[in-house]
Amino acid sequence: MTTFIQLHLLTAYAPSNLNRDDLGRPKTAKMGNTDRLRISSQSLKRAWRTSDCFYQSLSDHIGVRSRRFARDWVYKPMIDNGISEKVAKESTIKIAGHFGKVKAEKSPKDPLSNLEIEQLVHISNNEQQAIKQLVDLLITEKREPTDIEVKLLRKENSSIDIALFGRMLADSPAFNIEAACQVSHALGVSTVTIEDDFFTAVDDLNNYDVDAGSAHLGERGFASALFYTYVCISRDLLLENLNGDEVLVEKTLKALTESATKVAPTGMQNSFASRAYTSYLLIEKGSQQPRSLAVAYFKPIHSQDLVNDAITRLEDQRDKFDKVYGQCADSRYVLNSETGEGTLSAALDFVAQK
């Protein structure tokens, strides 16, 4: 039976704009008939997989998501090493075309943009190394690649970000990888009102003799919330995606859990310094069908002690499910910064153990 690992996190952010919508305002969602502040799962996953927590222990096992990889990894080194423009361009288009549809704009602003593919593709570190080896060979032999040589996609994968969050290639479905990790949108546990920050920037050299006005006027939305985030990992699928490498699975689970508890999305960090550690983390492991505890917050919390009341709601909801469905997890670990229960170190050891 599949072993699931579930993370339930409560993280409080002071006024900020962590994840913007198309108008530049903080994202929201309706839940329980009220507006809640929201951070998309895409924003969370990118912040985690590009964080120091991942790179410090897993730098050799992290992929790259890009549309311009062939331009940077093929065209540029070939040109820098004296290969002709024609050979470099044709080589780049051939290699890029194996990973996705190459752009064909008639009058691009940047002529090199037609060396990119139309959609982002996640490239594993194995594939990145294979591309580099081929480019080195082409530079040495001053030629274009053959049709066989450009088959650089690899089924075998050791990139943890691809193993966790998956990969979809519409033109090469044989190389798709099913995500082992599901991440919810983070949602505020209480009703939110987006506020507007009107701001000005002053010219340091303006002595106000002629013009006492500011040099720039602007406006941006912001809000504060305590977010509930839910993460569900299939440990068995993660092991399969990482070719049965148990040591790498343990490192990946630790890095994901640590980043989920300590890493914030980077949106407008310089304006709000909205970095936060999670206040409460519940880890559950077992073969039972996983379930989110978001239902605990469909009725928004109105409280002067939001963090502790949200923790109580979450634990009550966990117990309610256990009561009617039976024990919903084989084992659990709690980190609660409000009461001082648990440590991050012990939580990471727990999440990594089989």
Side-chain angles (χ1 to χ4, degrees), residues 71 75 85 89 92-93 102-116:
R71 173 176 170 169
Y75 177 78
E85 179 83 9
K89 277 191 173 180
T92 304
I93 291 170
V102 180
K103 288 183 179 179
E105 297 177 16
K106 290 183 178 178
S107 303
K109 291 182 180 177
D110 177 358
L112 295 184
S113 66
N114 277 343
L115 301 180
E116 302 172 7

Side-chain angles (χ1 to χ4, degrees), residues 13-190:
Y13 285 98
S16 55
N17 190 343
L18 296 162
N19 189 203
R20 286 166 277 176
D21 64 15
D22 56 336
L23 300 177
R25 297 174 67 76
K27 288 185 176 179
T28 58
K30 290 279 189 187
M31 188 165 88
N33 296 320
T34 63
D35 290 324
R36 309 299 180 88
L37 203 58
R38 177 171 67 95
I39 306 171
S40 74
S41 57
Q42 287 287 347
S43 174
L44 292 170
K45 287 187 284 189
R46 187 177 190 283
W48 298 343
R49 69 181 175 79
T50 59
S51 68
D52 288 344
C53 295
F54 268 59
Y55 275 88
Q56 282 173 356
S57 58
L58 296 160
S59 59
D60 293 336
H61 299 283
I62 296 177
V64 173
R65 194 172 64 164
S66 172
R67 294 191 305 187
R68 56 175 292 159
F69 71 96
R71 173 176 170 169
D72 287 9
W73 298 347
V74 182
Y75 177 78
K76 187 175 185 304
M78 292 186 83
I79 291 296
D80 289 347
N81 284 278
I83 304 299
S84 71
E85 179 83 9
K86 181 178 181 301
V87 171
K89 277 191 173 180
E90 289 300 319
S91 300
T92 304
I93 291 170
K94 280 185 177 180
I95 292 172
H98 187 60
F99 288 83
K101 186 177 181 180
V102 180
K103 288 183 179 179
E105 297 177 16
K106 290 183 178 178
S107 303
K109 291 182 180 177
D110 177 358
L112 295 184
S113 66
N114 277 343
L115 301 180
E116 302 172 7
I117 57 176
E118 292 186 343
Q119 293 184 323
L120 286 169
V121 62
H122 216 140
I123 304 166
S124 70
N125 54 322
N126 311 57
E127 292 159 347
Q128 186 174 349
Q129 291 170 11
I131 293 171
K132 184 179 186 310
Q133 289 171 0
L134 176 58
V135 170
D136 289 345
L137 178 65
L138 298 178
I139 290 172
T140 301
E141 299 182 356
K142 296 181 172 53
R143 64 173 177 86
E144 297 175 16
T146 65
D147 291 343
I148 294 177
E149 286 176 324
V150 298
K151 293 182 177 180
L152 296 162
L153 282 166
R154 298 286 184 268
K155 189 67 179 176
E156 186 177 85
N157 167 64
S158 62
S159 293
I160 58 163
D161 42 355
I162 295 177
L164 281 170
F165 305 128
R167 174 169 78 172
M168 189 184 78
L169 297 167
D171 295 331
S172 304
F175 297 96
N176 288 350
I177 295 176
E178 184 181 355
C181 175
Q182 301 167 346
V183 180
S184 74
H185 289 218
L187 290 166
V189 302
S190 56

